[in-house]
Structures are given as C-alpha cells and as structure tokens.
Amino acid sequence: MVAFGKKIKERQIPEWQGYYINYKLMKKKVKQYAHQIEVGALERRHVLKDFSRMLDNQIEKIVLFMLEQQGLLASRIAKLGEQQNSLQDEPELSKIIELREAYRVVGQDLLKLLLFVEVNAIGLRKILKKFDKRFGYRFTNYYVKTRANHPYSQLQQVFKHVGLGAVVGAISRNLADLQDRQGSYLSIYDQPALTLQDPVVDALRAAADRLTYSTNFLNFLAQHALIIQDELPTAAEEHVDDQRYHFVSLLLNLANTFLYMVNTYIIVPTADDYSMSLGAAATVCGIVIGAMAVAQVFSSVYFSAWSNKSYFRPLVFSSIVLFLGNAMYALAYDCNSIAVLLIGRLLCGFGSARAVNRRYISDCVPLKIRMQASAGFVSASALGMACGPALAGLLQINFKLYMITLNQDTLPGWIMAVAWLFYLIWLWISFKEPSRQTEENRTPQESSGGSVQSDVLEKGLAQPLLLSTEENEQDEDGEDASEEAPEEARGPANSIGSAYRLLTPSVKVQLLIYFMLKYVMEILLSESSVITTYYFGWSTTGVAIFLACLGLTVLPVNVVVGNYISNMFEDRQILLASEFMVCLGILLSFHIVIPYSVPQYVCSGLILFVFAEVLEGVNLSLLSRVMSSRLSRGTYNGGLLSTEAGTIARVIADATITLAGYLGESRLLNVTLLPSLAICISSIIATCWTYNSLF
C-alpha cells in the first residue's frame, strides 16, 4: 500500500508546495515528543502547548493561501461576468463559446484548489489521530472543540469551505446561462431539478461531494456496512473503478443481500410450530434458527478468500446451496425429520455470500458512488429483515400438492427456494465479472469490506475511543515510523490469529459491544414466537406483525441518528447512552411479580431493539476509525472480524434459548435475559474503563 506521506506528495501541485501541511515534519515531531517524554526531558503539558501552536501555524498558512486563491478566482469570475453582461444585447456565438471556455479554465483552477483543501483536511485529521494514538490522550477532542467553535476559527475554513461552494455555484450558474441562448433564460436557481451537463461542473460537484463526504445520513448508513472509502484516491484508481463498475452486477449483489436477510428471518415466526410438528420441543427453534448462523461462521471465511479470485462463481455457488437448503427445510415436514430440517438450515448458512457483496462494493464500485452503494447494502439488509417476518405472516394456508405439504411451516422454504432459483437465472444472464487485470494493476491496497475511513473532523466531532500507545510503531495510515519496514511487514493479516494480534484494547471493546448487541437482539427475535405464544396466546400472524414492525424501525432510526443526533452529540456520548438504554430495555423485559402484559413486552422490546440499532451504527462508525489499516484489506479484514463476532453472538444466543428450554417455558424469558444483562453490564464497564484510560 502507498503510505499517506508519499501519497500527499504525489497529489501536491508543485507551485503550491510550500503551502501544504508539512505532514512529514509533524510526524517526526510527534515521534520526537514521544522520545522526550519517555526520557523525562519534557512534560506533557508543554508538548500539548507546543503541538497546538504548530498546528495553528500550519492551519493559518493553509487558510490564508486558500483565501488568496479564492479571491483571485472570484476576481476572474467577476471580469468574465462583465464580458457576459455585454453579450446580453448583442450575443455573438463565437464570443459565447470563447466565454464558456474561459469559465471552464477557471473551473479547472478551482478543481486544483478543492484538491488542495482535501489533501490538507485529510492530513490534519491523520496527524491528530497519530498524536492521540501515540500519547493515549484525547487531544483531538480538545483541539477541535476549542478551534472549531471559536468566532475567529480558521479550522472551520478548512472543513466547511463555504466560500469555495459559492465559487462553484457561480461557475455552474454562468455556464448554464451560456449553454443555450435560444432556450429559456431561467437561472439554475429557478430550476434546481435540472442539472447542467458539463464535464467541468460534474468534476467540481464530485470534488465538493468528496470533500464534504456526501450527506450525514448516507455516511452513517455506509458505516454499518464497514466498507472502505479511500480518502485520497489516485486518478489511476478512479479510472480503474470506472472500468470495473457494472450497475446490474451491483444490483445483483444488493438483491443477494436482501434475499439472504429475508431467508434468515422468514422462519422466525413459525420455527417453534415447525419444531413441535416434528416431535421436538418448541424451544428447539433456537437451534433451528441458529443453525444458519453456525454455518455462516465458516462460510464468511471461505467466501472472503474466494472473492480474491472471482465474484461470479461464489455468487453462483451461494445461490445453488441456498436453493438446496431451502428445499430441504421445506421437505423436512413430509419426511418427518428434524435432522433434514437442521441440515437444510446449515446449507442456507453455508450459502451466506455477504462477504462477497461487501467486497464487490469496495473493489468494483467507483468512489463517487461507493457511499450510496454502501448505504444501499445496509438498506437492503434492513428491508429484508422487515420483509421476512411480514411474508411469513401472509402464508396462512394449508393444502397438499401431490405428496408435498404446503402450510405456514413449509411455505417459507419453498418460496425462498423459488426466489433463489430465479435469482440464479438472473445472475447467470446478467452478471459481468470484473476484469482481474485492472485489479492487478492497481496499487495493492485491497479492501475487503474493511473500515470506512470516516472524516470526523468534517462533522466537527472529536475522535472517540482512539488507540493507546503501542510498542509497535505501525500507523493507521500504513506508514512505519522509520519508513523502512519491508512491504510484507505492512501487508494485510494472513490468518485469524494475526488479525486478532492487530486488535488494540479499544478495538476489542468495540467488538465486545458488537457481540453484546447482536446477542441481545437475537435473544429478543428468536424467542419471540415462544414467549408471545406462552404469555399472550399470539398467533403466527401476530408474531409476524410484531417482528416486521421492529424491522421497519431500522431506517427511520438511522435517519434520525445520522441527520440529527450525530450532529448534536459526540459518538462516544451516543454510544454510552445507547448501552444504558439497551440495559434498561433488558431490565424492563424481566417477568418478576406482576402479571406479564403485552404493553410491557412490546415497549421493552422496542426500547431494546431501537437502541441496539443506534448502538450498532455508532459502534461500527467508531470501529472503522480505530482499527488498523492492515485490517482494511485482504481475506482476514475488519469486516470479517466484526461479522464473525456478530455471528458467534447469534449462535450462542440461539443455543442459550434451546438450553434454557429444558427448564420449562415459564422460566425461559428470565433465564435468557440474565446472560444478556450480564454481557450488557460488562460492555458498559469496559467502555467506561476505556474512556477513563484515555483522559
């Protein structure tokens, strides 16, 4: 992978070289500070004061140059505007064409300035993160808050760039006015839905979007997917992305994600009835539901490795295995065999291709739409989670077709088998395998559903849960402190063990939180049919409606958190508050003295589920920032580790339900909630300990 220090040099404009952030000098200064503190030659407060002054000087240099260039561009646009006004009465085609070209030249110079701001913004964020990691101190929190909120803030000029947006608007408006002198003379402000088709304007818009990192909601959704967003791509990388991109293939990957989530949750409302019809206890539904997760623990690894060589073949294999698995699940009723039922669910788990879906988005979708594709991945998952139980609630029929029984227990299997068959046909006809040759020509920084490098300074927030001091001097951006480490020493992890050794204490805490929230959500969802039938006598339709309503809260909750809550509070504050609310939801779910009521169960379940969703988004956002860059690519990447943590949590939760069932259905609720409460309290303690150790 290309180190950020080298990458920043490659993207510098030679004549502006003296005005960029001196990243190399500041990195050496951080190392020097660490050595001086270690030998006792310097106090920490002096380091903070000196480093703050150095950052202020660097930012002032950047901002003053940016304002100077911005003024020059504005002056050129004003002069062109005078020429344009003179053409209003006597328009000449040759002069109009000449004027449009002059505006495009200004646009090209503005592109250079936007890139200048982008490089410096990323450099500032990275040096702040490096400082926090080396000293185990939340300097970023202090620096951003004191500088960004000050009335004379220069930091806001770098990260808000309001003036540059006005210049972009001026160029776009004038080019639109000059585009067609024979048509309407309405401004672009009168017709905001109409976009100007001009290469320069498109490039300016893409650069501005990259600088602002799209919208908060898309950014928040994309962080759920843990798909890498390269912060400073080279022109060659962007060109390769465009060559490899195929819209229908992306759509097929999103459809695979949607169908798999439907497949996971469509059996939840009827799993207890199906188990009893085969002579097993109702609580065996935990094993039936969890069998899919057990297989997914292994399938995630081999699909992640397989996607290094192909995307099409793993998706074909996944579709065939899921077709067979669902057919076996449905045939288990007529075979009167719980073993066939479990084998069918295991096969479904072995067909989980979510690792391939993530990998395709991170490797083959162009940077300019990768955030939207990542958000689409999460939205497809959420929609599938809601549609699965809702579809099960509609399948209330019972008849025989020849020797095959079609009822509420078997129809989910048959419907999903048919769906995967149609998907396989569509896949075979429409999928386009990306060229592996272009991938080999890329700078070797393979991303496999790894961390989304969220630019938190652009949102005015401090970096939470940053890494503590380590013996290893490997940085997040892939640079060795000595810059002499061999390439293989900085390569991706080549095994689960080596990946685990790259995890710092703060990353382990984030994975513990992820384990906890997946565990409590699986307990709530998987035992819902047994609990509601025992206490309230709900039918399958009632359970399906309850689960579908829970699933439908996912996207609205993400809208609120991504657009509003994340702008009002720091991520660490949202994280802790969500953990406490999940704990409250667990406590309210216990059946102690008073008769257990529907309002108590529904309200406590809603609190638990909603805040677990909030917790998942914020937790993955933090995880993407503190995880080593070596876990952002290769087979054993950060996305795989988080997937494995969540899948293992689901397996243990489903096993807990089945084991607790031996104590009787009357004790099932409280017995399964006790470990949920213990894990939740443990994660809260670990989070608080991590924060305190960083202050």
Side-chain angles (χ1 to χ4, degrees):
M1 86 184 262
V2 179
F4 180 74
K6 295 178 182 177
K7 211 168 190 180
I8 200 173
K9 289 179 182 178
E10 293 174 359
R11 300 301 290 267
Q12 284 183 357
I13 299 169
E15 56 267 29
W16 294 355
Q17 191 169 6
Y19 300 100
Y20 284 90
I21 181 175
N22 198 331
Y23 183 80
K24 185 175 181 180
L25 173 66
M26 298 188 76
K27 194 179 79 167
K28 289 181 178 178
K29 199 70 175 175
V30 169
K31 186 180 178 182
Q32 182 182 339
Y33 288 147
H35 176 70
Q36 290 175 330
I37 289 177
E38 187 178 347
V39 299
L42 203 62
E43 293 184 10
R44 179 164 295 198
R45 61 190 180 89
H46 290 132
V47 169
L48 298 178
K49 183 179 179 180
D50 190 46
F51 193 64
S52 297
R53 186 187 299 114
M54 182 183 293
L55 273 175
D56 290 340
N57 291 336
Q58 291 286 322
I59 292 172
E60 184 175 277
K61 174 184 70 174
I62 295 166
V63 169
L64 292 178
F65 178 76
M66 182 181 72
L67 292 175
E68 178 188 351
Q69 293 298 315
Q70 191 174 303
L72 293 174
L73 290 172
S75 177
R76 290 167 62 186
I77 292 174
K79 291 179 180 178
L80 291 175
E82 293 175 1
Q83 298 178 35
Q84 185 174 347
N85 290 334
S86 66
L87 294 175
Q88 294 292 334
D89 298 329
E90 298 179 4
E92 295 183 22
L93 183 60
S94 60
K95 290 186 177 181
I96 291 174
I97 295 174
E98 184 180 336
L99 199 56
R100 287 176 63 184
E101 289 304 315
Y103 273 118
R104 289 194 178 103
V105 171
V106 177
Q108 292 291 346
D109 291 338
L110 178 56
L111 272 175
K112 294 179 182 178
L113 188 58
L114 285 170
L115 179 60
F116 171 83
V117 177
E118 180 185 11
V119 169
N120 283 294
I122 296 173
L124 284 170
R125 185 186 71 80
K126 281 189 169 290
I127 201 65
L128 284 166
K129 187 175 180 181
K130 191 182 297 295
F131 186 92
D132 282 349
K133 176 187 176 182
R134 182 60 62 90
F135 297 104
Y137 183 80
R138 294 189 57 76
F139 176 76
T140 302
N141 189 15
Y142 154 77
Y143 189 82
V144 173
K145 277 190 172 181
T146 55
R147 269 62 176 178
N149 298 326
H150 196 276
Y152 306 132
S153 170
Q154 293 177 325
L155 192 64
Q156 290 282 24
Q157 289 288 336
V158 178
F159 293 111
K160 297 300 180 185
H161 49 82
V162 177
L164 289 176
V167 180
V168 173
I171 293 174
S172 301
R173 181 185 67 82
N174 286 294
L175 278 174
D177 289 345
L178 292 168
Q179 188 177 39
D180 188 358
R181 307 297 294 185
Q182 298 177 353
S184 171
Y185 284 86
L186 290 176
S187 167
I188 60 170
Y189 302 113
D190 301 314
Q191 298 174 303
L194 298 179
T195 58
L196 175 63
Q197 300 297 320
D198 190 282
V200 173
V201 174
D202 291 342
L204 287 171
R205 189 179 297 115
D209 285 345
R210 192 166 64 241
L211 195 54
T212 55
Y213 226 66
S214 191
T215 64
N216 284 338
F217 175 48
L218 284 180
N219 189 24
F220 190 81
L221 274 184
Q223 286 165 345
H224 282 62
L226 271 185
I227 294 172
I228 194 169
Q229 184 89 346
D230 195 359
E231 292 176 298
L232 199 56
T234 64
E237 287 169 344
E238 292 178 345
H239 176 64
V240 168
D241 281 339
D242 289 334
Q243 283 184 322
R244 292 162 60 81
Y245 176 59
H246 183 235
F247 174 73
V248 176
S249 299
L250 172 62
L251 200 62
L252 281 161
N253 275 278
L254 296 180
N256 184 281
T257 299
F258 169 76
L259 286 176
Y260 187 78
M261 292 304 290
V262 173
N263 209 148
T264 300
Y265 289 100
I266 193 172
I267 72 155
V268 173
T270 58
D272 57 336
D273 287 336
Y274 204 168
S275 300
M276 288 190 293
S277 68
L278 298 180
T283 52
V284 174
C285 69
I287 293 294
V288 174
I289 297 170
M292 198 167 176
V294 171
Q296 191 178 344
V297 172
F298 304 98
S299 66
S300 297
V301 178
Y302 67 72
F303 272 117
S304 182
W306 201 351
S307 61
N308 289 325
K309 299 180 179 180
S310 173
Y311 302 101
F312 176 68
R313 288 192 291 272
L315 290 175
V316 170
F317 177 78
S318 166
S319 305
I320 294 173
V321 170
L322 281 159
F323 168 77
L324 295 174
N326 281 289
M328 289 188 69
Y329 179 85
L331 288 171
Y333 189 91
D334 293 307
C335 296
N336 194 28
S337 171
I338 192 74
V340 174
L341 183 74
L342 292 175
I343 292 172
R345 286 295 286 178
L346 282 170
L347 281 176
C348 290
F350 283 124
S352 172
R354 287 173 66 82
V356 181
N357 305 144
R358 281 195 182 101
R359 184 67 175 270
Y360 185 87
I361 293 173
S362 67
D363 284 359
C364 304
V365 175
L367 181 66
K368 58 189 176 185
I369 63 168
R370 193 176 301 161
M371 187 68 74
Q372 291 89 331
S374 303
F377 176 87
V378 177
S379 300
S381 299
L383 187 60
M385 184 179 182
C387 288
L391 186 58
L394 299 175
L395 304 178
Q396 303 302 303
I397 57 177
N398 189 359
F399 66 94
K400 275 206 168 191
L401 185 64
Y402 298 106
M403 301 295 293
I404 298 174
T405 303
L406 301 176
N407 57 25
Q408 66 174 12
D409 297 330
T410 62
L411 274 174
W414 288 122
I415 286 178
M416 292 312 303
V418 172
W420 285 112
L421 182 60
F422 278 107
Y423 174 82
L424 178 61
I425 296 171
W426 181 26
L427 178 73
W428 194 272
I429 295 172
S430 304
F431 190 87
K432 181 181 178 182
E433 181 77 79
S435 171
R436 311 306 292 191
Q437 182 179 359
T438 55
E439 184 176 2
E440 291 169 1
N441 291 335
R442 296 178 69 173
T443 299
Q445 53 178 45
E446 293 297 331
S447 56
S448 317
S451 60
V452 179
Q453 302 295 324
S454 175
D455 198 339
V456 75
L457 288 181
E458 293 180 9
K459 297 187 286 184
L461 297 173
Q463 291 271 30
L465 279 176
L466 286 160
L467 305 182
S468 58
T469 305
E470 297 180 286
E471 291 294 324
N472 186 359
E473 294 183 347
Q474 182 74 22
D475 296 321
E476 293 93 334
D477 54 25
E479 297 172 274
D480 189 87
S482 64
E483 295 190 354
E484 296 177 355
E487 185 65 29
E488 59 270 16
R490 297 186 281 133
N494 53 17
S495 68
I496 288 288
S498 61
Y500 181 80
R501 286 190 292 273
L502 290 173
L503 302 181
T504 61
S506 56
V507 176
K508 291 176 182 177
V509 170
Q510 298 301 113
L511 290 176
L512 172 63
I513 295 171
Y514 192 67
F515 177 93
M516 178 273 292
L517 67 91
K518 286 298 182 183
Y519 182 91
V520 298
M521 288 174 70
E522 188 72 8
I523 289 289
L524 171 67
L525 298 175
S526 295
E527 70 177 12
S528 58
S529 58
V530 180
I531 296 298
T532 54
T533 301
Y534 177 79
Y535 285 104
F536 319 126
W538 283 7
S539 64
T540 299
T541 303
V543 180
I545 293 173
F546 172 67
L547 294 177
C549 289
L550 288 181
L552 288 172
T553 63
V554 174
L555 288 180
V557 166
N558 283 322
V559 170
V560 173
V561 176
N563 281 340
Y564 303 106
I565 304 299
S566 63
N567 293 325
M568 298 167 61
F569 303 98
E570 293 183 16
D571 285 0
R572 65 184 182 90
Q573 294 173 324
I574 303 173
L575 185 82
L576 274 172
S578 300
E579 285 185 277
F580 279 112
M581 291 304 297
V582 169
C583 189
L584 176 64
I586 295 171
L587 290 171
L588 292 176
S589 299
F590 277 96
H591 178 210
I592 303 176
V593 180
I594 59 175
Y596 206 56
S597 62
V598 172
Q600 180 185 353
Y601 179 76
V602 172
C603 291
S604 61
L606 193 62
I607 291 172
L608 192 156
F609 187 85
V610 167
F611 283 97
E613 277 297 322
V614 174
L615 185 60
E616 180 175 5
V618 176
N619 182 63
L620 290 180
S621 169
L622 299 179
L623 187 62
S624 71
R625 300 173 202 162
V626 300
M627 191 171 283
S628 168
S629 64
R630 291 177 61 190
L631 293 174
S632 68
R633 59 199 192 279
T635 300
Y636 302 95
N637 53 74
L640 176 65
L641 291 180
S642 61
T643 299
E644 293 291 84
T647 305
I648 292 171
R650 290 171 52 206
V651 170
I652 296 175
D654 291 322
T656 303
I657 294 171
T658 300
L659 293 174
Y662 288 104
L663 301 177
E665 292 184 15
S666 61
R667 298 181 180 179
L668 177 66
L669 179 65
N670 289 347
V671 170
T672 53
L673 287 175
L674 282 173
S676 300
L677 182 62
I679 298 172
C680 186
I681 293 174
S682 299
S683 72
I684 292 173
I685 293 172
T687 304
C688 293
W689 173 82
T690 303
Y691 285 140
N692 289 335
S693 68
L694 292 177
F695 289 131

